[in-house]
Amino acid sequence: MMKDNVIPIFLNADDNYVVPTYIALFSLLYNYRGTAKIAIYVLIAGAISQRNAVLLNSLSDRFPQATIELLEMKNEYDSVSVQIEYISSACLYRLMIPRIADAITDGEMDRCIYLDADLIVTGNIEELFRIDVDGYFVAGVKDLLWLSDHVTDYAAVLGIPTTEYYINSGVLLLNLKAIKQREGLRERLEKAGYVSDFLYPDQDAINSVLYEAIKILPLKFNTMARDIYRKDQKFEQTYGKKNIEEARKKPVIIHYITQRKPWSYKAAPLAGEWWKYVRMQDADTIREYVRPFLKAHRLPFKLAVKERVKEVLKRLEIFYAIRNAIN
């Protein structure tokens, strides 16, 4: 068994996504209150520039309890065509974590956390890591896919009875020991990344292959910014009033799902929380890394104004009434 005083965390990144990855990791380490070491493994799509490697590695200098290891992947999923434009095939690397973890620790890693880079950790990550997952392959927060109109058909696509327990793959607590003990499961998980019918390839693969043993976590561990202020009955039925209230007041992780990322959509829900960690960076980091990234992802002026007006109307709870009246 890997030492209990180490919390292993995996993320994906490439040269274009280094700044969000850095901010996600900075927020995690800044808010960490435990005594265990944090072992961070960044799965790199292709190669990464020396300059960007320096930025990521600087986190271990700033936070001595953390180690950073950049693992260059061999583009195993390059041939996979992803249907959603803001998702790359690198998202599928998380399907390989059980095998990678075994290789880099000689089989001593029993569990780990996976995090997307389009999020921030606002609480203590150890709270997630210490959750009991005995008897489960993976733990995650429910995704709202099961509320969509095509839910029945999509369960059939996944080859599972229902998508009621379908989880979002942006925050995962993986029981590596249990996955390894089930013969052929790691291979099935990796192979599922090539299924062409999957709309959300990594997420669908995880929910399809690991379906029989998925633990549902409270919403606070993957507070999806787009939906957190919804007030419809289906949203409350999915997560429960208590979980929603807790996620709104004290989220552990805020996840910016969909293409509305806070670095481009400054008025999007909870975008200000992401910018708070940007403002904590030193002048050199902002000048050399953050500003070029923000410039490359800046919205056209008219669209930025339109988005800001839309978000104001949503917060005033009149946006949907106006839209329905126009339509």
Side-chain angles (χ1 to χ4, degrees), residues 42-265:
V42 184
L43 308 180
I44 302 294
I48 192 172
S49 70
Q50 181 62 32
R51 175 176 173 273
N52 283 333
V54 167
L55 177 65
L56 293 177
N57 284 320
S58 69
L59 287 164
S60 59
D61 297 327
R62 196 164 181 177
F63 301 96
Q65 72 271 44
T67 61
I68 312 280
E69 189 169 351
L70 308 181
L71 304 175
E72 290 190 7
M73 306 301 287
K74 296 181 180 179
N75 302 320
E76 282 86 349
Y77 292 105
D78 268 7
S79 62
V80 177
S81 178
V82 180
Q83 301 178 47
I84 301 176
E85 61 179 341
Y86 59 90
I87 298 177
S88 75
S89 60
C91 70
L92 293 161
Y93 293 156
R94 76 197 71 188
L95 305 181
M96 301 171 63
I97 289 175
R99 177 158 58 88
I100 294 169
D102 228 17
I104 61 180
T105 64
D106 293 326
E108 293 186 354
M109 190 185 298
D110 284 350
R111 59 164 59 193
C112 71
I113 292 171
Y114 169 81
L115 299 174
D116 274 350
D118 58 346
L119 55 73
I120 52 173
V121 181
T122 55
N124 186 355
I125 197 65
E126 189 167 21
E127 186 181 352
L128 170 60
F129 185 71
R130 300 302 177 191
I131 289 174
D132 183 7
V133 286
D134 285 349
Y136 298 92
F137 295 133
V138 65
V141 172
K142 277 189 179 183
D143 193 278
L144 287 176
L145 174 74
W146 78 279
L147 294 179
S148 60
D149 294 336
H150 61 279
V151 61
T152 304
D153 292 340
Y154 208 66
V157 170
L158 298 180
I160 58 179
T162 175
T163 52
E164 184 177 355
Y165 304 101
Y166 181 99
I167 59 172
N168 182 277
S169 65
V171 178
L172 301 170
L173 177 59
L174 291 160
N175 186 341
L176 301 172
K177 183 178 180 180
I179 292 172
K180 181 168 62 174
Q181 288 176 340
R182 177 65 64 88
E183 184 177 356
L185 190 60
R186 290 193 301 188
E187 291 74 19
R188 285 173 52 206
L189 187 60
E190 292 183 24
K191 187 177 180 181
Y194 293 97
V195 176
S196 60
D197 290 342
F198 288 168
L199 179 59
Y200 308 97
D202 61 287
Q203 188 164 286
D204 290 350
I206 288 165
N207 282 279
S208 174
V209 176
L210 305 182
Y211 169 78
E212 64 182 278
I214 295 176
K215 182 170 186 172
I216 301 300
L217 297 179
L219 181 59
K220 68 178 181 178
F221 291 111
N222 189 352
T223 303
M224 289 165 262
R226 181 196 64 181
D227 300 310
I228 191 57
Y229 293 114
R230 287 179 58 156
K231 295 185 177 180
D232 56 274
Q233 187 177 10
K234 287 184 177 181
F235 184 67
E236 289 188 355
Q237 289 175 343
T238 301
Y239 300 110
K241 290 184 178 180
K242 183 178 178 181
N243 275 328
I244 293 171
E245 182 179 353
E246 186 178 27
R248 287 172 177 169
K249 290 183 176 179
K250 199 172 183 180
V252 176
I253 296 171
I254 297 173
H255 186 190
Y256 302 99
I257 61 174
T258 76
Q259 75 274 25
R260 297 173 61 79
K261 308 304 182 189
W263 46 87
S264 296
Y265 293 81

